[in-house]
Amino acid sequence: MRPSEPSPLPDAARELLRRLPSVDRLAGDLLNENGLAVSSQEVVAVARAVIAERRSELMAGDCNEVDLQMRARERLASRLRRVLNASGVIVHTNLGRAPLADASAEAVAAAARGYMNLELDLASGRRWQRDAHVSELLCELTGAEDALVVNNGAGALLLAAALAGRDRSIAVSRGQLVEIGGGFRIPDVVAQVGAKLMEVGTTNRTTAADYQAALAGGAELILRVHPSNFRTVGFVSEASIEELCALGVPVIDDVGSGVLARGIGVVESEPPVERSIQAGAALVCFSGDKLLGAPQAGILVGQSAAIEACRNHPLMRALRVGRLPLAGLVATLRLYRDPERAQKEIPVLAMLTTDPAVLQQRVERLREVAGGEIVEEIARVGGGALPLVELEGPVVALDRRYDPGRLAARLRLGDPALLPRVAHDQVLIDPRTLLDEEIELAADALRRALSEEADAASA
Ligand SMILES: *Cc1c(COP(=O)(O)O)cnc(C)c1O
């Protein structure tokens, strides 16, 4: 048979095509069910989509058994739903990273409903900068001359690298030619903006003199990248930000997480933004939604001329931040004016330092419902930050008679979903990453999943 000739449709597929229900019929069946909180128009739209999808599958010869009603019900349920994070990973990238402080969530909701003075100076009635609301606050908190916000940390770094300009050389330590995640690699970013990468030093040791040699060889700029998600140990050393800034060319410092909090022991090993500013970095980049605890955003703080050049760069428009994350970021940053309040109210900071007595209360409550035993375990910061930090605390280890994969899946498929940690062939429920008001929701989710599991086992 020549490859261009369409293969004839199998009889089974033709028969199934003939038996496909009409849109009205499928929609009618769905509407007869109770508990669908959607309009009949929505049901008809979904029924139409599901039947069209099935028709193309059958035309392609796929004769597998399919429950169209089930498919339609799944489509009608919102796919983006709340997840109770019982994994113990605080900045969980797959769960949207940082949960917001109440003040931040309220600011987002308020900004969402109506209009706002996003690019309008209310006093003069004239247009102004979208980031004016936030740059003042960032300068106040970091000591920088000027600041700018973009869509995410990767965008901030891209913009900073783009500023270096085409065909100019950027010096980067060989120990910092890292992959941040999702294929975002420093050498590729530098290549992408048309700059030339000048590798400096070695994987484990790079000195100020190595950079100096690169500058003598034509490098016009230094990029320092914090190894957020890994650590090198042993015979290692790197030049300090102060040494780099003393070399006389602009320094771009990507600090990753952007720690503004003070006095929290576990985050003290992260590079403080303020220190890089004081050292004289031209641009410091960091994420809004890692240890800062705000919505997704990329932040650039630094010297006026460098920030202004970023602001006027053609990429800026492509990277600009939306009004909802901006409103949430401003509200989060305001909390940092009062460090004690920040630590209490910003969930990622609160979770790093949760009172052991509170964790104990929570595990006892969860064990009451779910059984199992209480054991000491290790929670992680996550989100590519502080990879070595171990946060000790109690967790509920569910009974070993449950198949961990199946029980975890049952918990994930609940509404709200619950994401546990699976370790040592056991399902662990870590209360550190649950919010106070989520403990009872988690208890309900556990109760439901365990009773379903018991039903399945006795069936
Ligand atoms: C996380 C990270 C980024 C990227 O930030 P996103 O907000 O994830 O886009 C860039 N550089 C470093 C060093 C990071 O740790």
Side-chain angles (χ1 to χ4, degrees):
M1 190 173 21
R2 277 175 294 137
S4 61
E5 220 168 85
S7 49
L9 210 54
D11 287 345
R14 211 168 313 132
E15 178 58 20
L16 286 169
L17 268 172
R18 224 170 37 76
R19 294 213 316 252
L20 269 183
S22 68
V23 170
D24 286 345
R25 164 86 185 286
L26 179 58
D29 289 348
L30 287 162
L31 283 167
N32 283 337
E33 286 175 24
N34 295 322
L36 276 180
V38 287
S39 70
S40 55
Q41 279 87 346
E42 282 176 77
V43 173
V44 168
V46 164
R48 184 173 293 123
V50 165
I51 289 169
E53 180 186 73
R54 185 61 193 143
R55 178 167 292 121
S56 15
E57 287 170 8
L58 290 168
M59 298 292 283
D62 166 6
C63 297
N64 290 324
E65 189 100 1
V66 164
D67 182 341
L68 290 182
Q69 280 207 32
M70 174 100 87
R71 265 200 195 176
R73 273 197 302 274
E74 276 168 12
R75 247 185 211 245
L76 280 165
S78 172
R79 293 190 177 223
L80 210 48
R81 64 174 74 156
R82 180 163 183 184
V83 178
L84 305 171
N85 179 7
S87 71
V89 178
I90 295 177
V91 183
H92 200 304
T93 300
N94 303 151
L95 299 183
R97 289 197 181 157
L100 300 186
D102 287 344
S104 179
E106 279 154 24
V108 173
R113 279 197 204 95
Y115 297 101
M116 64 188 294
N117 60 332
L118 184 65
E119 294 182 358
L120 185 74
D121 177 18
L122 293 175
S124 67
R126 279 207 291 271
R127 179 170 185 171
W128 71 340
Q129 308 271 8
R130 161 178 300 238
D131 61 341
H133 309 273
V134 72
S135 52
E136 197 178 69
L137 197 47
L138 280 164
C139 292
E140 184 186 312
L141 292 168
T142 64
E145 292 171 6
D146 200 359
L148 181 68
V149 176
V150 294
N151 175 61
N152 62 9
L157 178 58
L158 182 69
L159 188 56
L163 197 63
R166 304 194 76 79
D167 305 323
R168 288 169 76 205
S169 296
I170 305 183
V172 188
S173 162
R174 290 196 168 88
Q176 296 170 7
L177 294 173
V178 300
E179 172 169 330
I180 310 270
F184 191 78
R185 296 174 162 186
I186 298 301
D188 299 343
V189 173
V190 172
Q192 199 65 41
V193 299
K196 277 192 286 223
L197 176 67
M198 217 169 210
E199 297 183 15
V200 172
T202 63
T203 305
N204 55 331
R205 291 172 76 83
T206 304
T207 64
D210 294 326
Y211 285 97
Q212 212 150 22
L215 299 187
E220 295 171 74
L221 211 100
I222 292 171
L223 170 63
R224 185 177 87 135
V225 183
H226 180 55
S228 297
N229 48 13
F230 72 102
R231 291 289 180 269
T232 46
V233 294
F235 188 53
V236 295
S237 78
E238 54 173 32
S240 69
I241 186 67
E242 288 79 10
E243 286 176 294
L244 296 185
C245 292
L247 293 173
V249 297
V251 175
I252 297 170
D253 193 14
D254 178 7
V255 293
S257 268
V259 172
L260 299 181
R262 259 164 264 152
I264 300 179
V266 285
V267 301
E268 261 159 21
S269 60
E270 286 286 297
V273 176
E274 218 177 355
R275 174 172 166 189
S276 302
I277 293 295
Q278 264 166 17
L283 289 172
V284 184
C285 340
F286 51 100
S287 296
D289 52 345
K290 293 181 179 170
L291 293 171
L292 193 71
Q296 179 186 307
I299 298 167
L300 284 151
V301 295
Q303 294 170 344
S304 306
I307 295 287
E308 192 56 24
C310 288
R311 205 172 264 136
N312 295 323
H313 194 280
L315 270 180
M316 186 56 212
R317 172 62 187 235
L319 297 172
R320 74 178 183 184
V321 66
R323 80 179 200 275
L324 304 189
L326 188 65
L329 176 62
V330 168
T332 307
L333 289 171
R334 286 169 65 109
L335 293 174
Y336 279 99
R337 283 176 167 157
D338 177 350
E340 251 177 63
R341 183 164 176 219
Q343 184 172 341
K344 269 212 298 276
E345 295 186 21
I346 296 174
V348 292
L349 300 181
M351 286 171 184
L352 286 169
T353 54
T354 312
D355 183 350
V358 169
L359 294 176
Q360 190 60 33
Q361 254 172 21
R362 291 176 177 180
V363 282
E364 280 167 16
R365 170 69 188 129
L366 293 171
R367 193 196 32 189
E368 238 171 61
V369 172
E373 51 176 351
I374 295 174
V375 295
E376 281 295 305
E377 267 283 339
I378 306 283
R380 297 274 175 191
V381 175
L386 297 165
L388 301 185
V389 166
E390 302 190 330
L391 300 162
E392 276 176 42
V395 305
V396 181
L398 298 183
D399 198 297
R400 282 180 192 280
R401 73 169 181 270
Y402 301 117
D403 175 86
R406 220 176 54 193
L407 179 54
R410 223 181 258 295
L411 287 164
R412 286 198 308 274
L413 290 171
D415 192 7
L418 184 146
L419 185 73
R421 181 152 91 242
V422 177
H424 334 294
D425 258 338
Q426 247 177 323
V427 173
L428 307 180
I429 306 296
D430 194 324
R432 182 182 294 274
T433 41
L434 293 168
L435 307 171
D436 275 331
E437 70 267 22
E438 288 178 337
I439 299 300
E440 284 311 309
L441 292 174
D444 289 343
L446 283 165
R447 199 183 286 119
R448 264 197 311 274
L450 290 173
S451 95
E452 282 170 20
E453 191 64 19
D455 290 349
S458 64

